[in-house]
Amino acid sequence: MDALQLDLATIVGRLQQVQDEGGWEHADSIVLDRILTCDLPRLREHLTAESAALVAASS
């Protein structure tokens, strides 16, 4: 399994945990913080320059 697959598996697991806890409003704040500060930035490292530009334009 490469780094991208590991990163995707991690974030999918954390998002599943959020869902199991009743959604974003009820999720553990530590889990939410990890998604926003660790997982998403790591996933962005895997984006091509073109994909990164699309993400930047949409935010």
Side-chain angles (χ1 to χ4, degrees):
M1 194 177 273
D2 65 15
L4 176 58
Q5 289 172 317
L6 287 172
D7 288 345
L8 287 171
T10 298
I11 197 167
V12 166
R14 289 204 176 114
L15 291 172
Q16 182 65 48
Q17 183 177 354
V18 167
Q19 182 179 1
D20 292 346
E21 292 174 354
W24 293 103
E25 293 177 6
H26 305 288
D28 185 312
S29 62
I30 294 171
V31 172
L32 296 179
D33 184 61
R34 286 181 180 160
I35 291 169
L36 297 173
T37 63
C38 299
D39 300 330
L40 292 178
R42 275 201 330 262
L43 288 176
R44 287 182 182 197
E45 292 173 7
H46 299 291
L47 296 177
T48 63
E50 196 173 74
S51 297
L54 287 172
V55 169
S58 68
S59 38

